[in-house]
Amino acid sequence: MQSSGASNRDISDRGMTLTILGCGTLGTAILSGILSSLSDLQNTSSTSSDDKIPSHDQASLEDVPPRIPTRFIACVTSESSASRIRKALPDQDITILQNENLRGIHESDVVLLGCKPQKVKSILGHNDIAEALYGKLLISILAGVPTSQIQGILAGATLLNNYGPKGFQIVRAMPNTASFIRESMTVIATSTPPLPKHLDSFVTWIFTSIGRVVHLPPEAMDASTALCGSGPAFFALVLEAIADGAVAMGIPRAQAQLMAAQTMKGTAALVLNGEHPVGVREKVMTPGGCTSKGLLVMEDGNLRSTLARGLEEATIVASGLGKKS
């Protein structure tokens, strides 16, 4: 379909290939979110100029980089992993390569590294892999693996006279599994020197398309991994515990889980809308009321410090994941 503005042209006209190297659970979730976002973008860009486009959709069009991924390659090591991707993303045009990492990199414009942190050296530490990656953008979502470590692996696998570490463009990011429904919280590590503007715009767009994004210094990435990467598991445990309490008080399990999830979602929405958690709590509490009594029991059980210490421990463990490679 022909359209009048450059921002509204068919996205296939500016496509590129994104390869996910080690497409596990998180890689599949990211892929799902990006595909959903592209579908929405395609629907918006094909809207005729006579139709009214909501302002937020128009802003999204204006923020889209000149080139975005329209072809996707998922690299895996087993048939079970390939089957998992097909089941999670049915009817999607995705090329799945089994034990063909080099081909996947050669055919890509951008590579997203999603393997287990312990396997990074065995996957990247080969001359042909490093040469194929040279000059391409590599986005790492590996917990506990700084970009300097990846630079070192790639540089060590190449002929340094021809392939210095500066030829590898590497960005570190930490999204989470809510990418699947485009509700991820992604932290992108700032780069030194800064990425070229077009690459920075592209990386930000990739992760904005699957949720919210913040940029933090590299030294904050291990804590960000604990909070954002492990966070869904922590919040799920809290949600499950609250639902268990409701079940103990006679509410059916399905309804208790729904009520707990919606209450958690609504509370998060209030905070994202600008309210402080203390303010939310104070609005619910009344002197001598049930909320006050319930919170007192939770504080007696050291809930606050237990959660904080859990995040601290997760940060420590995250910092060491890459050292096992």
Side-chain angles (χ1 to χ4, degrees), residues 23 33 35 54 98 106 119 184 186 190 208-209 221 267-268 276 308-310:
C23 192
L35 287 166
Q98 187 175 330
H106 274 306
K119 294 185 177 181
S184 175
T186 301
T190 53
T208 301
S209 72
M221 290 305 292
T267 304
H276 193 281
R309 284 282 294 115

Side-chain angles (χ1 to χ4, degrees), residues 104-319:
I105 295 170
H106 274 306
E107 295 184 13
S108 71
D109 297 290
V110 177
V111 175
L112 190 147
L113 182 61
C115 64
K116 295 183 185 301
Q118 300 88 339
K119 294 185 177 181
V120 61
K121 188 173 183 179
S122 64
I123 289 177
L124 299 183
H126 304 280
N127 185 63
D128 51 357
I129 293 290
E131 290 185 2
L133 283 169
Y134 188 80
K136 294 187 178 183
L137 177 63
L138 176 63
I139 304 171
S140 169
I141 58 170
L142 306 189
V145 182
T147 56
S148 59
Q149 183 176 343
I150 296 175
Q151 290 274 16
I153 292 170
L154 293 173
T158 60
L159 301 174
L160 290 180
N161 289 336
N162 298 324
Y163 298 94
K166 291 185 179 179
F168 300 106
Q169 297 269 18
I170 305 172
V171 178
R172 185 179 179 187
M174 179 45 61
N176 63 38
T177 54
S179 303
F180 200 89
I181 56 169
R182 296 165 65 185
E183 288 290 349
S184 175
M185 179 67 249
T186 301
V187 181
I188 301 174
T190 53
S191 301
T192 304
L195 282 176
K197 187 175 181 180
H198 71 285
L199 291 182
D200 183 65
S201 172
F202 175 80
V203 173
T204 300
W205 178 84
I206 281 285
F207 292 107
T208 301
S209 72
I210 56 172
R212 294 177 183 254
V213 169
V214 297
H215 294 80
L216 290 175
E219 55 267 26
M221 290 305 292
D222 291 330
S224 298
T225 297
L227 178 55
C228 299
S230 303
F234 300 155
F235 289 116
L237 178 62
V238 173
L239 191 154
E240 185 182 14
I242 291 289
D244 284 346
V247 171
M249 292 293 101
I251 297 179
R253 170 67 63 181
Q255 286 80 2
Q257 184 169 300
L258 172 63
M259 293 158 67
Q262 179 59 38
T263 302
M264 181 178 281
K265 179 182 178 181
T267 304
L270 288 171
V271 174
L272 289 172
N273 199 43
E275 293 206 39
H276 193 281
V278 172
V280 175
R281 197 171 72 241
E282 291 292 336
K283 285 182 179 179
V284 180
M285 291 174 61
T286 55
C290 60
T291 304
S292 300
K293 297 294 186 181
L295 286 170
L296 183 61
V297 172
M298 293 178 189
E299 294 286 9
D300 285 344
N302 297 318
L303 176 64
R304 182 193 301 267
S305 62
T306 299
L307 291 173
R309 284 282 294 115
L311 191 103
E312 183 181 19
E313 182 65 20
T315 301
I316 294 170
V317 173
S319 68

Side-chain angles (χ1 to χ4, degrees), residues 93-111:
D93 187 14
I94 302 167
T95 301
I96 302 176
L97 301 179
Q98 187 175 330
N99 296 313
E100 292 188 87
N101 290 344
L102 185 59
R103 176 187 164 189
I105 295 170
H106 274 306
E107 295 184 13
S108 71
D109 297 290
V110 177
V111 175

